[in-house]
Amino acid sequence: MKKTLVAAAAAVLAAALPALAADGMAYNIGAFTEYSYRGISQTRLKPAVQGGLDYTQGAFYAGAWASNIKWIKDGGGDASIEVDLYGGYKGEISKGLGYDVGVLVYRFPGHKLGTSPNTTEIYGGLSYGPATLKYSHGVSHLFGVADSKNSGYLELSANFEVGAGWSLTPHIGYQKIAHHNDLTYTDYSLTLSKDFKGVLLSAAIVGTDIEVISAGKDLGKARIVLGAKYSF
């Protein structure tokens, strides 16, 4: 790669949000056996290196994140990096009932695809106890699918402490692709994780109910994804 993933994310965020103060920043970098997004492998089941940075000030947050990808090159394009920019507000509606609203922009520099994969979603979520319900709405075409504006993704997840510092996170999501019923699908995952002095180790069972064939591989099949992420 011409740039490291963390440097790419930092450069984009610095250009978009020049006024952020250093004392509100946090950083992360990780390595995974693949980059899985909404149950579908973005790296053709190959390893991924990812990095990001986050800024918080009261209820406001913003950040940038980046990962290597393979699916655009497999589709005839020329992008090998995904860069995400996001921002929003989160807080409490009442005791124990939280909210989170914001916008997330996905960018694929140099993609050279006919229909742009660059995507913008607005989202809103509610959390209560260990559970979170979130809806994301596409205000652009979705990841290069023509005529897919107003697609939506509904997800339900939870986080449970299971002892000795281990957490178990079940997740189920429903991706509706507007005007493309044949591409609409459900994804699921079950993740076991533990923080070891700032390094979060994880193992997840991930899959979907749709077959996604690329370069002879099914990118939506049930599989195990391992990862390690360091935050500082």
Side-chain angles (χ1 to χ4, degrees):
M1 298 179 184
K2 294 182 180 180
K3 297 180 180 179
T4 68
L5 299 177
V6 176
V12 173
L13 185 59
L17 302 168
L20 296 185
D23 61 358
M25 301 297 294
Y27 307 86
N28 66 82
I29 187 167
F32 298 82
T33 54
E34 66 169 271
Y35 168 23
S36 175
Y37 177 75
R38 295 180 182 172
I40 296 175
S41 179
Q42 309 298 294
T43 51
R44 205 189 327 120
L45 309 178
K46 299 295 185 180
V49 176
Q50 303 172 346
L53 60 163
D54 295 279
Y55 172 79
T56 58
Q57 182 62 51
F60 170 77
Y61 63 90
W65 179 90
S67 177
N68 61 298
I69 57 171
K70 288 186 176 293
W71 67 272
I72 288 183
K73 285 194 171 182
D74 289 346
D78 196 31
S80 59
I81 295 177
E82 172 186 332
V83 178
D84 300 345
L85 300 174
Y86 51 88
Y89 293 85
K90 61 171 58 178
E92 277 195 337
I93 299 172
S94 61
K95 186 173 176 59
L97 179 63
Y99 72 89
D100 182 9
V101 294
V103 60
L104 174 54
V105 179
Y106 307 81
R107 287 294 179 262
F108 304 89
H111 62 81
K112 296 181 182 178
L113 293 179
T115 300
S116 175
N118 295 335
T119 299
T120 299
E121 291 184 329
I122 55 176
Y123 59 83
L126 293 172
S127 59
Y128 186 77
T132 298
L133 181 67
K134 180 180 178 181
Y135 175 72
S136 301
H137 187 82
V139 296
S140 66
H141 296 311
L142 194 73
F143 302 116
V145 179
D147 192 26
S148 61
K149 187 177 179 180
N150 294 318
S151 295
Y153 183 69
L154 181 65
E155 57 185 305
L156 177 64
S157 62
N159 185 268
F160 301 102
E161 296 295 329
V162 294
W166 292 93
S167 296
L168 190 65
T169 306
H171 160 94
I172 188 165
Y174 177 73
Q175 178 69 74
K176 172 69 176 177
I177 310 294
H179 311 117
H180 296 275
N181 289 336
D182 58 322
L183 299 179
T184 294
Y185 70 95
T186 299
D187 74 281
Y188 59 86
S189 65
L190 183 64
T191 304
L192 181 66
S193 61
K194 183 175 181 178
D195 190 302
F196 291 89
K197 297 182 179 180
V199 179
L200 184 68
L201 300 182
S202 62
I205 300 171
V206 179
T208 72
D209 65 352
I210 192 172
E211 188 177 65
V212 183
I213 302 299
S214 179
K217 297 182 178 181
D218 182 1
L219 307 186
K221 68 178 182 179
R223 59 205 187 275
I224 295 176
V225 178
L226 305 177
K229 184 172 75 171
Y230 177 60
S231 299
F232 55 101

